[in-house]
Amino acid sequence: KVIEEINVGLNRCGVEPGKPAVELAEKISKSKGLIFEGVLGFEGYAIWIKEFKEREKACKECYRKLIETVKEIEKAGINVNTVGAGGTGSFNIAAEYPGINEIQPGHYAIMSASHLMIEGIPFKPALTILTTIISKPTETRAVIDGGVKTFSLMLGNPIVKDIEGVTVSALHVEHGILKLSSNCSRNLSVGDKIEFIPAYSETAINLFDKVYVVKGDEVIATWKVEARGRVD
Amino acid sequence: KVIEEINVGLNRCGVEPGKPAVELAEKISKSKGLIFEGVLGFEGYAIWIKEFKEREKACKECYRKLIETVKEIEKAGINVNTVGAGGTGSFNIAAEYPGINEIQPGHYAIMSASHLMIEGIPFKPALTILTTIISKPTETRAVIDGGVKTFSLMLGNPIVKDIEGVTVSALHVEHGILKLSSNCSRNLSVGDKIEFIPAYSETAINLFDKVYVVKGDEVIATWKVEARGRVD
């Protein structure tokens, strides 16, 4: 079974909408051993637009290209069973768009700090990374035992959970530098544990072998990150 | 045995040079069960200065602070056996500076693309990452099966090895976008294998479970990345 990717504007992979997509669908459906299952489009550049209305508009422009192409493929006599689209920033827009019958949000179960920055996402971040303060050289600077190898650099620095007045000012390889404001809501010392919400969970979770599932103060399960290292 | 880190200008961890460093050394040497072994300083901000002469000047300013403090600690009657400094961009400057007896370059065995950008480093990059072209949607764009989870984002995009006219224009999570110029020295197609030199090997090697050691065209060993995931 083959799903054909259509380039709806991200300009990454995918065949162009319209004629090239129809021709590829015909080629697939005529190929021995292959079954043409459907199409997908990914509006990856549009899902990060902060304002919901603007995001909706940009996403719908992508879906329009996708659905028009679906209709052309069907006109060529080929069944299109699956029509996939959407990301974590657009799952609700994609889900309501006529003709889309599968959504593909990757983050929604754990979310990221970067999703807090865009409007209209009803989920809270579930994934946090626990670090320890290993140094507090001045009143305004503390150093944690987490850096690029802990959080990744994708979409910026992590944000601290449940403490006011603390920001990450830099990530080094194995160190993170915290800037402490004078009205910091916790008096932080060496040895203190702090939780961070990574800017982009997908590239952070991949840096760990396991995830601890916590309910209240209790660890109720330990999950292996099965896909870790599966980039080869 | 304790090595005391002295902040020579990076403003990360480390006690301030001079009096605070001497007081800490005294505290350590008087503590039961601890032996004061020596000091280290890391001129992390200076080792990336492109021009060698400027880099040398900035590094020596850091070493001056370090060695002056060593002398003050010795004046207080404490032996300083180990005096460590230097990084991959400054190993030769540190090694020749009077009073430094240990250098700590982390990258020199494998190097990175970013080390090619600074003057006066006599080693070549040894670490490459092999990827495959999975899509070539246009004559000027190809997509590889390597992205942020393969190269990390530290210090920029990887550079291609042994092919002219190809640059990485973007890294997505699992995809890399290549820009192909019209004078590209190889006619690249889907399925072709391409080697890249990561911008910063330290955060890239950490994304893999093993490293293949190659001599000519032969894999002569497979090494496990023992420290992978040791961020906890």
Side-chain angles (χ1 to χ4, degrees), chain A residues 43-99:
Chain A
E43 68 283 19
Y45 70 97
I47 61 175
W48 292 105
I49 296 172
K50 196 185 164 187
E51 293 75 21
F52 184 80
K53 284 282 166 204
E54 276 185 52
R55 185 158 81 248
E56 191 180 33
K57 195 180 154 198
C59 288
K60 284 187 172 174
E61 182 53 31
C62 297
Y63 305 153
R64 188 185 58 73
K65 290 183 201 169
L66 185 68
I67 299 303
E68 277 178 7
T69 299
V70 167
K71 285 178 185 160
E72 288 180 54
I73 295 172
E74 286 174 332
K75 212 180 283 176
I78 301 165
N79 262 354
V80 185
N81 292 325
T82 299
V83 182
T88 302
S90 62
F91 73 96
N92 42 4
I93 308 168
E96 289 181 0
Y97 197 88

Side-chain angles (χ1 to χ4, degrees), chain A residues 11-13 137 141 143 148-150 153-154 172-175 177 200 202-203 206-208 228-229 231, chain B residues 11-13 137 141 143 148-150 153-154 172-175 177 200 202-203 206-208 228-229 231:
Chain A
N11 294 331
R12 189 168 68 186
C13 303
R141 172 162 45 97
V143 184
V148 179
K149 285 183 179 175
T150 308
L153 284 171
M154 187 118 188
H172 298 194
V173 176
E174 283 112 357
H175 299 80
I177 314 292
Y200 198 67
E202 202 179 327
T203 51
N206 192 51
L207 300 167
F208 294 88
R228 183 174 182 177
V231 289
Chain B
N11 294 330
R12 188 167 69 185
C13 303
R141 174 164 41 99
V143 185
V148 179
K149 284 183 179 175
T150 308
L153 285 172
M154 187 120 189
H172 298 194
V173 176
E174 282 114 358
H175 299 79
I177 314 293
Y200 198 68
E202 201 180 328
T203 51
N206 191 51
L207 299 168
F208 294 87
R228 182 174 182 176
V231 290

Side-chain angles (χ1 to χ4, degrees), chain B residues 110-131:
Chain B
I110 50 171
M111 305 304 287
S112 293
S114 46
H115 295 109
L116 294 171
M117 315 302 171
I118 58 174
E119 265 183 24
I121 306 289
F123 306 120
K124 285 182 192 161
L127 184 83
T128 66
I129 295 174
L130 190 67
T131 67

Side-chain angles (χ1 to χ4, degrees), chain A residues 185-213:
Chain A
S185 68
R186 217 173 110 191
N187 186 19
L188 295 168
S189 313
V190 170
D192 283 354
K193 303 276 182 190
I194 312 186
E195 269 178 282
F196 287 88
I197 302 165
Y200 198 67
S201 295
E202 202 179 327
T203 51
I205 206 168
N206 192 51
L207 300 167
F208 294 88
D209 289 325
K210 49 193 173 184
V211 172
Y212 297 97
V213 186

